[in-house]
Amino acid sequence: MQRSPRPSPDSRHLASDEIAQEIEADARRELDFIPAPLAPPALESPQVILLTGATGFLGAFVLRDLLIHTAVRRVVCLVRSPGGTDEALRRLHDNLDRFELVVSREAWSRVEVVTGDISAPQLGLDEETYSRLGDEVDTVIHCAASVNFYQSYRKLRTANVESARQILRFAVHRRTKRLHYMSSTGVFDSDAGRGIVAHETDAPAHCRGSVMGYTETKWVAEQLMLQARGRGLPTSIHRAPFILGDARGVVTRENLVVTMLLGSLQGGAWPTEDVTTPTIQVDALSRALVHLAQQPDPIGQTYHLISPEPATWSTFGHALRECGYPLDLVSYEDWKRRLREFGRNPDNAMRPLVHFFTATPRRHDRPVPDIFLKPPRPKLDTTATEAALRPVGLVPPPFDADLMAIYLRYFVQQGWLHAPPGCPEPRQTDKADSRPPIISVS
């Protein structure tokens, strides 16, 4: 079979320049639908919240925490569902069940489900529903995103950039709303962030040198959010790193870190580079986000929702060995060499990622993770975020060997991984069904 020719340096630069121009144009598009001056929102705690992304991993925890830990009157969940409201409700129930999140019948009575599309005009809602929610909703929490580290900016643009513009339109429709946007610390993973100490108030001037379409879309969306804030819309930006499982170990199998842990354990090797890996437990992230969304901030702030004690790859490797798994701790280059071998096994969790870690994409001169890991990495300052969270005991906890042991027990319990020699079988739990009857909420 004939191989496709390797892109030349000139063709890579041409492709990169073209995409860079598109990204810059998207980031600078004027939000002319935000009137000036903008009427400020009422200074009161949220009563009706529009939540996007409730059928995702983080969104499930945010929905649970809004219903259990706040006095919000109603949480409106915007869900894409060709099958209508009943199917959307069922998806919400199944998603909470998947992550073993229990919500009472009384709490479910405060949920309204509307079916739509966050990237479509009017969020895919009919005129009557869009106007009604425009009047009733006072706060928006925008968690929905296509989190894909392998797709290009162009493929993710609609889901992550156009949706941000549509959410901003809704935030000023009929009344001014507070907006909380879930962003990524990856906005600093570019030439603009290399080697800097990034404070919450810092915003990278560009995203040139970014290696992933996902982080490019997040940078563009942040630029739109900052423009809206400058026009008077109370817009808070919440930057999150790699999201891990909760304190019980519950996590999604589609998580990149989980996939890397499982595949490396199956292959018997882990990279020991001292590369800082900012992380946060999903429950810690959700509780912090929900708390901050309750504050009647008239302007909006930016937060770094990460553990103030970031782990390294070496931290992960030693924690895995402490849990009893036979594992060779090797250099990153040696790990990649071994990945090419153990990744051929059809049962290895990392088989779909071998290409990602070892192949050079068209726009770059080396594999994406190699560029991502290249020093000097940005250092994320959390001083202002800690000041907001410490008084209520919500500073994210550090990653340690005890948490790794909890994660590994969950992996074994789910059948994703065999227990190490001498390890007791994981406990079996009986989880009560927390779901009420499927009833459409109007």
Side-chain angles (χ1 to χ4, degrees):
M1 184 176 69
Q2 185 177 4
R3 290 177 178 269
S4 299
R6 183 185 178 93
S8 69
D10 287 343
S11 67
R12 283 198 295 264
H13 288 311
L14 286 172
S16 296
D17 289 346
E18 183 180 340
I19 294 171
Q21 291 172 9
E22 292 179 17
I23 290 171
E24 189 70 20
D26 284 344
R28 305 304 173 206
R29 284 177 66 190
E30 186 176 1
L31 302 178
D32 52 9
F33 50 82
I34 298 182
L38 188 64
L43 286 175
E44 58 185 19
S45 296
Q47 296 299 309
V48 180
I49 292 179
L50 176 71
L51 173 63
T52 72
T55 56
F57 180 43
L58 172 61
F61 285 81
V62 173
L63 176 58
R64 188 276 308 267
D65 288 340
L66 284 171
L67 295 175
I68 291 180
H69 299 296
T70 77
V72 170
R73 276 196 299 112
R74 183 158 35 107
V75 180
V76 182
C77 296
L78 178 64
V79 179
R80 186 198 297 265
S81 177
T85 306
D86 286 352
E87 179 188 279
L89 263 171
R90 189 173 291 106
R91 286 183 62 198
L92 284 179
H93 293 321
D94 290 346
N95 197 46
L96 264 68
D97 275 357
R98 179 187 180 191
F99 301 120
E100 303 179 27
L101 300 173
V102 177
V103 173
S104 69
R105 290 172 178 266
E106 184 280 327
W108 271 115
S109 69
R110 294 155 55 206
V111 174
E112 176 184 357
V113 177
V114 293
T115 60
D117 181 347
I118 57 171
S119 60
Q122 294 189 171
L123 305 178
L125 303 172
D126 61 69
E127 183 67 41
E128 180 181 352
T129 303
Y130 190 71
S131 294
R132 174 177 65 82
L133 294 179
D135 284 328
E136 296 173 354
V137 170
D138 53 58
T139 302
V140 178
I141 300 179
H142 182 34
C143 293
S146 179
V147 183
N148 189 307
F149 298 153
Y150 327 120
Q151 290 187 332
S152 67
Y153 175 82
R154 287 170 174 168
K155 288 186 177 179
L156 296 173
R157 180 182 179 276
T158 298
N160 294 350
V161 176
E162 188 55 37
S163 65
R165 288 184 62 86
Q166 295 300 331
I167 284 293
L168 286 166
R169 280 185 181 276
F170 176 74
V172 296
H173 182 61
R174 310 284 287 194
R175 64 183 289 189
T176 303
K177 305 163 186 65
R178 290 189 184 83
L179 174 58
H180 293 266
Y181 172 66
M182 180 51 59
S183 186
S184 168
T185 57
V187 296
F188 290 104
D189 285 316
S190 69
D191 292 343
R194 194 166 297 284
I196 70 170
V197 176
H199 302 276
E200 288 94 337
T201 52
D202 293 334
H206 60 81
C207 67
R208 291 187 291 277
S210 180
V211 296
M212 288 188 285
Y214 171 72
T215 54
E216 289 168 338
T217 62
K218 284 299 186 180
W219 179 81
V220 172
E222 271 206 16
Q223 295 300 302
L224 299 178
M225 297 296 159
L226 291 170
Q227 185 186 154
R229 186 190 291 174
R231 287 172 171 258
L233 181 67
T235 308
S236 289
I237 297 170
H238 305 266
R239 294 173 179 149
F242 288 110
I243 303 175
L244 302 180
D246 70 0
R248 304 165 300 163
V250 177
V251 72
T252 172
R253 176 73 184 263
E254 293 75 31
N255 185 295
L256 176 64
V257 176
V258 171
T259 301
M260 191 173 172
L261 288 170
L262 291 172
S264 295
L265 285 169
Q266 291 166 338
W270 179 265
T272 56
E273 306 296 311
D274 284 324
V275 177
T276 298
T277 307
T279 60
I280 188 171
Q281 294 174 207
V282 64
D283 49 346
L285 173 57
S286 175
R287 289 291 301 275
L289 172 61
V290 168
H291 167 73
L292 295 169
Q294 297 296 298
Q295 311 312 305
D297 190 330
I299 301 173
Q301 305 293 329
T302 302
Y303 301 96
H304 286 170
L305 297 176
I306 67 175
S307 170
E309 301 177 39
T312 66
W313 282 17
S314 293
T315 308
F316 281 92
H318 289 292
L320 289 169
R321 292 186 69 171
E322 282 186 38
C323 293
Y325 283 91
L327 194 67
D328 294 335
L329 303 182
V330 299
S331 70
Y332 178 64
E333 289 302 319
D334 191 26
W335 177 80
K336 281 202 304 178
R337 180 185 60 79
R338 294 175 66 163
L339 171 63
R340 291 186 181 95
E341 297 300 320
F342 67 69
R344 294 178 181 175
N345 187 329
D347 295 326
N348 188 277
M350 284 204 68
R351 185 177 185 181
L353 299 183
V354 173
H355 186 81
F356 176 66
F357 277 94
T358 61
T360 299
R362 180 177 176 82
R363 289 175 57 197
H364 304 296
D365 59 0
R366 69 191 81 176
V368 165
D370 289 32
I371 306 171
F372 179 78
L373 297 171
K374 180 183 176 183
R377 301 272 303 133
K379 178 179 172 57
L380 299 163
D381 184 78
T382 59
T383 303
T385 305
E386 286 186 61
L389 297 178
R390 192 172 299 283
V392 289
L394 292 179
V395 174
F399 176 88
D400 57 22
D402 290 339
L403 186 58
M404 179 64 83
I406 292 171
Y407 289 162
L408 294 175
R409 281 198 296 271
Y410 181 76
F411 296 170
V412 173
Q413 188 175 356
Q414 296 301 305
W416 302 343
L417 188 69
H418 293 299
C423 179
E425 290 298 315
R427 59 182 175 80
Q428 298 297 318
T429 58
D430 294 323
K431 182 166 65 71
D433 185 0
S434 63
R435 300 187 297 176
I438 302 294
I439 301 175
S440 300
V441 180
S442 58

